[in-house]
Amino acid sequence: MAAAENLTIGKALNTGLRRAMEHDDKVLIMGEDVGKLGGVFRITDGLQKDFGEDRVIDTPLAESGIIGTAVGLAIRGYRPVCEIQFDGFVYPAYDQIVSQVAKIHYRSGGKLSLPIVIRIPFGGGIGAVEHHSESPEAYFAHTAGLKVVSCSNPDDAYWMIQQSIESDDPIIFMEPKRRYWEKGDVNVDSASLPLHASRVARAGTDATVIAYGPMVRTALDAAAAAAEDGRSLEVIDLRTLSPLDMGPVYDSVRRTGRAIMVHEAPGNLGLGSEVAARITEECFYSLEAPVLRVTGFDTPYPAARLEEEYLPDLDRVLDAVDRSFGF
């Protein structure tokens, strides 16, 4: 029987990082305040104490320097795990990520690999000031040479961080910061899925709701509310944003005939646009209504007092479901 532990997403990430460091002494953690403080969200709490300052490294406040240093370390055989303290802080490192991290394997004809994991707490809902509540995933999913994943629950957090560290490809690891404190069971014996696989989070028959990261919980709450009104919503957790695993999505939409994509990032050129296009191409004759999107607005992320109006919520998801059934 599988051993299970009840952990928060934050603790599951911490435990997964610890297990990866125990397994391979080439795994290093780098970032601002990741050592003595244990990270602003305490994801790396206790790791410097147990593994030393040579493996859990407090860096200067210089994101470009963090990623540039990680490139050199990866070429020398290390597996750096870089923490970007908040999502909006990643942009000074954007050049390094898209020009170096994403390109070196291709430019070297496959001779060089960069097994780098870049952890980014992303999304809103924590009442923070500007530059602390961004959703930059589409920038990276659009970049050839990068893989992008996002966990939504403790079990995935525990396993996906380890799978990402074991990968020889550079991975952008998006962590839903407002869900860090949500608890769930973690199977510590074996992973239920490979890294780049989507999953059915809740089975249903009437419409398909697709989400990832922090919006998976919102989609599940909407499905529970819809069930009280007699509608059965199937919820798909994408988990992997690049490459997209669309197989479970297509299977679901062919059964339900309706699809609603939900994410926090603005709708214009967001992940939902790509998902909607692919569903339309592959499932056109199964669709009973257009693929609808529920997203953040095409504006800069607002001040904290307005973020509840900006973020997709249960009511906006259910409204999209109603509109789908109106066709």
Side-chain angles (χ1 to χ4, degrees):
M1 188 174 186
E5 295 185 21
N6 191 257
L7 303 174
T8 64
I9 289 179
K11 185 61 176 178
L13 287 166
N14 177 275
T15 307
L17 287 167
R18 177 178 294 278
R19 181 166 173 173
M21 296 187 76
E22 291 170 345
H23 177 72
D24 185 352
D25 61 9
K26 293 294 186 180
V27 176
L28 309 176
I29 294 177
M30 310 164 55
E32 299 160 8
D33 298 317
V34 297
K36 290 181 173 60
L37 181 65
V40 292
F41 294 105
R42 304 300 186 267
I43 305 303
T44 55
D45 188 40
L47 298 182
Q48 188 181 76
K49 173 179 173 291
D50 293 339
F51 294 98
E53 295 183 10
D54 291 338
R55 292 190 64 195
V56 182
I57 304 161
D58 280 317
T59 67
L61 306 184
E63 287 77 15
S64 181
I66 294 169
I67 303 303
T69 302
V71 169
L73 286 166
I75 289 173
R76 293 298 298 268
Y78 291 93
R79 291 183 175 271
V81 180
C82 303
E83 178 180 299
I84 302 297
Q85 196 170 75
F86 283 91
D87 35 39
F89 299 175
V90 73
Y91 302 115
Y94 186 75
D95 182 22
Q96 292 283 0
I97 294 171
V98 302
S99 300
Q100 304 298 328
V101 175
K103 303 291 195 299
I104 283 180
H105 184 73
Y106 180 82
R107 279 209 323 253
S108 68
K111 293 179 181 178
L112 296 177
S113 295
L114 292 185
I116 298 172
V117 177
I118 301 172
R119 294 180 40 245
I120 306 177
F122 83 119
I126 63 168
V129 297
E130 65 176 347
H131 307 310
H132 290 67
S133 301
E134 305 289 319
S135 293
E137 59 270 23
Y139 293 116
F140 302 113
H142 180 73
T143 303
L146 296 176
K147 293 184 175 179
V148 185
V149 300
S150 182
C151 58
S152 69
N153 60 79
D155 191 67
D156 275 351
Y158 176 74
W159 286 109
M160 290 172 73
I161 191 63
Q162 294 179 73
Q163 291 166 330
S164 296
I165 293 168
E166 290 170 1
S167 173
D168 288 331
D169 296 313
I171 292 180
I172 308 296
F173 195 95
M174 311 297 294
E175 300 173 4
K177 71 167 82 76
R178 68 165 151 152
R179 308 298 186 192
Y180 275 144
W181 300 275
E182 294 187 2
K183 282 192 168 185
D185 287 338
V186 175
N187 179 346
V188 296
D189 287 341
S190 61
S192 58
L193 289 170
L195 180 61
H196 298 294
S198 54
R199 70 181 181 99
V200 177
R202 176 182 174 125
T205 57
D206 296 337
T208 302
V209 180
I210 306 146
Y212 58 85
M215 282 290 105
V216 174
R217 169 50 51 199
T218 302
L220 289 169
D221 290 344
E228 296 180 3
D229 294 329
R231 277 188 181 152
S232 175
L233 305 184
E234 182 146 294
V235 177
I236 306 290
D237 179 358
L238 286 179
R239 299 176 76 252
T240 177
L241 311 183
S242 181
L244 282 165
D245 175 28
M246 294 295 291
V249 176
Y250 297 152
D251 290 344
S252 179
V253 173
R254 288 182 181 124
R255 285 186 290 100
T256 68
R258 304 177 191 279
I260 295 94
M261 178 71 205
V262 186
H263 60 66
E264 287 191 20
N268 186 43
L269 299 179
L271 261 292
S273 303
E274 179 66 22
V275 171
R278 294 199 193 187
I279 291 172
T280 303
E281 289 172 357
E282 296 294 328
C283 306
F284 182 78
Y285 291 106
S286 300
L287 288 171
E288 300 289 340
V291 181
L292 301 179
R293 291 173 292 161
V294 181
T295 71
F297 298 106
D298 295 326
T299 67
Y301 196 90
R305 72 181 64 181
L306 295 175
E307 67 179 352
E308 287 188 12
E309 303 299 324
Y310 176 90
L311 293 169
D313 60 10
L314 180 151
D315 289 335
R316 286 179 61 194
V317 175
L318 293 177
D319 178 66
V321 172
D322 287 341
R323 286 190 286 124
S324 179
F325 277 92
F327 284 94

